[in-house]
Amino acid sequence: MSTRLYMKTFELPDSFILINVERLIYLTYYIYIPLPHTISEPWKLMMLDATFRGVQHLGNLAHSLGLSHHIKVLNFAVTFFGMLSPTSSEGVRVTDTVFDGVQVRVFEATRGSNSELKRSVVYIHGGGWSLGSARMQSYDYLCRKMAEDLNAVVVSVDYRLAPEVHFPEQYNDAYLATKQFLLPEVLAKYSVDPNRVAVSGDSAGGNLAAAVSQQLALDSSVTNKPKLQSLIYPVLQALDFNTPSYQQNRDVPILYRPLMIKFWLEYLNGDPSFIHSLLVNNHTSLDLSQVATSREKVNWTLLLPSTLKKHYKPVVQATGTPKVIQEVPALLDVRAAPLIADEDVLKLLPQTYVLTCEHDVLRDDGIMYARRLEQAGIRVTHDHYEDGFHGCMIFGIWPTYFSVGIRTMHNYIKWLDQNL
């Protein structure tokens, strides 16, 4: 009798149950998106993407109400819970300093004698030139792990971000910091072997790493040149947003095609209204003669294997929107789009590692660059992940622990260990 009374006391009204069931349905509907069956841990990715989309919606709302720039809201959410102070450990000494006016975080492995010269990696973080920091937990972990596993000195560049600054300031920060580090007296200060330095980065950081590597190769005042460049799912061109990977993965998280275009326009300080023109390649139409040479350098029909071309067709407009190139000339600037560099420049570059993911709009950027480098006679290692998605490497740590992220990080560091 007493048990029945106790249970009756906690009976929930039908209306309460109905409301919460409806909420659960709405939440499930918001979270669920159809994903390729080959992608790594799809439900975990859906949860991550739903969180990211939710923050984007809040940012767009704040922007429309005039409260804050939507990128600032997004970056606040990305960095709020994960910013770390420079904390040393038993095997790695961590310090924040400045190289030629640019903030950097330096990770120095402490294993071995003080007189022993170490190898080094200059690392440039991703985030669409607008998000992230060298002080974020994910990049702090990655650079700390590289320093320890490679017994190396890792310099993580904390370049300035949009919307506070636009191109070419992000590039300038990355270049100035790297060039300062490569000075003989600075390398000596950190006991770095001048013949064993790599330049590396992921996503937008891969873009900056590629551009920095090209300029270092051309700069006669730089006496110590990088031995390697390693690019993790890099973004390398803004002339064709209809490559097979852009078409195939336009709706695959976490980097949707329109979002990538928004990042480009923010970086290059372009009018957001140009999004549609870029989506349909109106900015590179056949009637725009100034684009012709650069367009050929991103001709995926010649640079991609047939296994990736599949059934996709090039999107080439006969007439377009000249206003886009006129107002955003940096779309044709090799410092912003390293893929369109001349072959004479590519021939000067060091041995290269390119990591790409099948479920990433930027897949073909990396593959086309690897192919152009090979054509220029550069030794290239192309590491492709069939179950990978954009950004997966930095999601190989807590709290996400994507298996493909763990694998990509392991193999990336392994390649550096074997070649640096």
Side-chain angles (χ1 to χ4, degrees):
M1 180 66 176
S2 60
T3 302
R4 285 198 298 272
L5 288 172
Y6 179 82
M7 293 176 64
K8 187 174 181 180
T9 303
F10 287 90
E11 283 183 359
L12 297 173
D14 290 343
S15 59
F16 179 87
I17 296 174
L18 180 61
I19 290 171
N20 282 277
V21 168
E22 288 177 346
R23 287 174 177 170
L24 181 60
I25 292 172
Y26 292 147
L27 180 61
T28 304
Y29 179 78
Y30 184 80
I31 292 173
Y32 177 79
I33 51 174
L35 292 175
H37 70 278
T38 54
I39 204 164
S40 178
E41 301 169 272
W43 275 104
K44 191 187 292 186
L45 180 57
M46 288 181 208
M47 294 292 291
L48 176 66
D49 177 62
T51 304
F52 193 60
R53 279 187 286 121
V55 175
Q56 288 183 71
H57 293 153
L58 287 175
N60 292 335
L61 177 61
H63 194 104
S64 64
L65 295 174
L67 300 176
S68 179
H69 193 288
H70 66 97
I71 289 291
K72 290 185 177 181
V73 175
L74 188 56
N75 196 36
F76 176 81
V78 167
T79 60
F80 181 72
F81 294 106
M83 298 294 275
L84 302 178
S85 59
T87 305
S88 299
S89 60
E90 183 178 349
V92 180
R93 180 168 55 250
V94 183
T95 54
D96 285 345
T97 187
V98 175
F99 286 170
D100 201 2
V102 181
Q103 298 287 331
V104 298
R105 176 162 288 185
V106 182
F107 302 79
E108 300 174 75
T110 55
R111 190 168 75 243
S113 64
N114 292 332
S115 61
E116 177 187 358
L117 292 181
K118 292 181 170 60
R119 46 195 173 175
S120 182
V121 179
V122 176
Y123 195 86
I124 309 172
H125 71 81
W129 309 281
S130 308
L131 310 175
S133 170
R135 295 171 289 150
M136 280 179 61
Q137 178 185 357
S138 53
Y139 289 110
D140 185 278
Y141 174 87
L142 171 63
C143 293
R144 187 183 299 268
K145 181 173 176 57
M146 279 197 287
E148 192 162 15
D149 291 358
L150 300 172
N151 192 31
V153 175
V154 178
V155 176
S156 188
V157 182
D158 215 7
Y159 57 93
R160 291 169 294 165
L161 303 172
E164 277 75 18
V165 298
H166 303 281
F167 176 83
E169 297 310 318
Q170 289 88 334
Y171 161 81
N172 287 340
D173 283 0
Y175 188 72
L176 290 173
T178 305
K179 186 176 179 179
Q180 175 80 9
F181 179 64
L182 288 172
L183 290 174
E185 60 269 28
V186 179
L187 294 177
K189 174 184 175 181
Y190 289 99
S191 299
V192 169
D193 186 336
N195 298 311
R196 303 179 74 188
V197 179
V199 177
S200 184
D202 65 294
S203 191
N207 166 283
L208 295 172
V212 165
S213 294
Q214 290 181 6
Q215 186 56 36
L216 288 172
L218 293 169
D219 193 337
S220 60
S221 69
V222 178
T223 55
N224 298 313
K225 307 287 187 178
K227 181 182 181 181
L228 307 172
Q229 66 169 341
S230 46
L231 313 175
I232 313 302
Y233 32 76
V235 49
L236 298 168
Q237 59 87 26
L239 297 184
D240 189 351
F241 291 101
N242 289 276
T243 63
S245 62
Y246 266 112
Q247 295 186 53
Q248 171 184 295
N249 300 305
R250 65 180 67 189
D251 297 320
V252 175
I254 59 174
L255 186 61
Y256 298 94
R257 185 169 64 157
L259 179 60
M260 187 64 249
I261 294 176
K262 287 181 180 179
F263 280 139
W264 268 113
L265 290 173
E266 191 64 52
Y267 179 40
L268 303 182
N269 202 20
D271 191 323
S273 68
F274 290 155
I275 287 178
H276 177 72
S277 293
L278 270 62
L279 276 172
V280 297
N281 288 351
N282 270 348
H283 62 308
T284 55
S285 56
L286 295 176
D287 62 325
L288 301 177
S289 59
Q290 69 268 42
V291 182
T293 302
S294 297
R295 191 195 306 114
E296 279 306 303
K297 293 172 183 174
V298 299
N299 186 347
W300 58 263
T301 65
L302 300 177
L303 293 170
L304 295 181
S306 57
T307 53
L308 296 181
K309 296 177 191 176
K310 300 179 182 176
H311 61 281
Y312 299 108
K313 303 297 182 184
V315 176
V316 182
Q317 307 295 347
T319 58
T321 311
K323 183 180 179 181
V324 176
I325 295 296
Q326 292 168 2
E327 294 193 11
V328 195
L331 288 164
L332 301 178
D333 193 317
V334 70
R335 296 172 300 169
L339 181 55
I340 64 175
D342 291 336
E343 187 170 310
D344 289 345
V345 176
L346 300 184
K347 288 179 178 179
L348 303 174
L349 293 175
Q351 180 182 348
T352 300
Y353 172 89
V354 180
L355 186 154
T356 59
C357 294
E358 180 63 23
H359 307 291
D360 180 7
V361 294
L362 302 180
R363 179 198 68 189
D364 295 345
D365 281 26
I367 294 174
M368 287 191 289
Y369 196 51
R371 180 60 180 152
R372 288 205 65 211
L373 287 170
E374 288 175 337
Q375 290 174 343
I378 303 303
R379 183 181 171 192
V380 177
T381 298
H382 176 213
D383 196 8
H384 185 68
Y385 291 82
E386 290 291 339
D387 60 341
F389 56 91
H390 190 78
C392 62
M393 192 172 78
I394 62 168
F395 297 123
I397 67 170
W398 184 91
T400 49
Y401 289 120
F402 277 92
S403 60
V404 67
I406 296 170
R407 279 185 283 117
T408 53
M409 188 179 298
H410 171 80
N411 292 336
Y412 160 62
I413 295 176
K414 180 180 178 181
W415 184 87
L416 287 172
D417 190 31
Q418 293 172 343
N419 291 275
L420 184 57

